Amino acid sequence: MFWNIVLVVGAIGAGVAMSTKPWQAYREQRKIADQKIAERARAEENLVSLAEQRARLESPAGKERRAREQGFKKPSEEALEQP
């Protein structure tokens, strides 16, 4: 009976010892995967932001705002004098 317990405990210990490297590799791979997922999320957020910015700039109101920022005015308007 004693030897059976020693054998089972030894087998469990050997199994745990042999499984540490695969678990370590799993943790490293999981860390890399999590980093890639975070990078992709940031890239998608950036893409959405750029698409919104492009839509604003290419709209008629956006084009007019940019033209006015560059000093253009409508033919019927008079330029305001800056002090």
Side-chain angles (χ1 to χ4, degrees):
M1 180 75 166
F2 174 75
W3 291 110
N4 287 340
I5 295 173
V6 170
L7 182 63
V8 169
V9 170
I12 291 172
V16 169
M18 293 176 70
S19 69
T20 56
K21 284 187 181 181
W23 282 108
Q24 183 180 9
Y26 167 77
R27 285 190 301 272
E28 290 172 2
Q29 290 296 319
R30 187 75 245 163
K31 182 179 176 182
I32 292 169
D34 290 342
Q35 289 172 348
K36 296 297 180 184
I37 289 169
E39 287 176 14
R40 181 176 177 176
R42 284 191 301 273
E44 287 176 354
E45 289 172 4
N46 189 29
L47 182 63
V48 168
S49 173
L50 290 174
E52 291 171 352
Q53 182 181 7
R54 181 177 180 187
R56 276 194 314 273
L57 291 175
E58 290 182 354
S59 71
K63 288 179 182 179
E64 181 179 348
R65 191 182 88 244
R66 280 191 316 177
R68 289 182 180 275
E69 286 173 356
Q70 294 176 1
F72 291 97
K73 60 181 180 63
K74 292 181 181 178
S76 62
E77 294 178 336
E78 292 183 21
L80 296 176
E81 294 184 24
Q82 296 288 332

